[in-house]
Amino acid sequence: MPPSDFDRAYWPCGLQLSHLLLIVPYSYHSVIKVDNYILSMYYSVMSLREALLGLMCDHPKHGYQLKKDYERMATPLNIGQIYTTLDRLVRNGLVEEAPPLDQEKTVERRHLYRLTKQGHETSMSWFFEPPTRSRSATSDVSEKVLTATRSGAINPLEVVRAQRLFLLEELRVWRNTEDAHALIDKLAAEWKASHIEAELSWLDRAEEALLSEAKK
């Protein structure tokens, strides 16, 4: 089955200029053969900590459910990475173990985790923070929108619109290079601005897809 418009909108729009490879929007369910280094550069941007907090906003989840939800958005993970991160979140007071669900009493019990009050506040704050940007110039905009869409606890359209405002302000700064005298400064600013414009374009497509999905 070909990918839907909704799927196409959710392939992150990062560009790796060092490899001169354009990653076009495509279904994140699909298998795309690209250089492993490029994939690792993108996935290194996605914060497992913030993603897990966002995915637990709606209701408690066990480790394997979190692993499944996370892998719908990003690279496959070892279950040990999930539980290591959960243990750290518990120690930091952001997550706690939850009582088992009724339907789980008759089967092998899995540890359920839920957000504490501090964890919920931290997660909600993260959704509406300005995007962070690594040295590769790829930000965490797609992570915030994907996690909000998957979580169900927050309207992803609100996240899209908040992140667009941050990006537009960031773009204005990088476009204001009239005082830059060195060619290298102008080229660097253009490189950064082009990445921001790509993310803004992706946000437009994501918003269109979300609105279309809401009408179904």
Side-chain angles (χ1 to χ4, degrees), residues 59-87:
H59 58 78
K61 293 180 180 178
H62 53 73
Y64 279 96
Q65 182 62 50
L66 288 168
K67 180 178 184 294
K68 179 180 177 181
D69 288 347
Y70 182 86
E71 290 176 351
R72 292 286 301 277
M73 304 183 298
T75 184
L77 285 176
N78 186 295
I79 189 63
Q81 293 174 271
I82 297 289
Y83 283 112
T84 296
T85 304
L86 285 171
D87 288 344

Side-chain angles (χ1 to χ4, degrees), residues 142-163:
S142 61
E143 177 186 356
K144 295 180 194 297
V145 176
L146 289 171
T147 305
T149 303
R150 188 64 179 167
S151 169
I154 188 169
N155 186 345
L157 284 170
E158 294 180 5
V159 178
V160 166
R161 290 158 185 168
Q163 293 303 313

Side-chain angles (χ1 to χ4, degrees), residues 157 161 206-216:
L157 284 170
R161 290 158 185 168
E207 182 178 47
E208 182 181 352
L210 285 165
L211 290 171
S212 176
E213 188 74 10
K215 294 177 181 178
K216 294 181 180 179

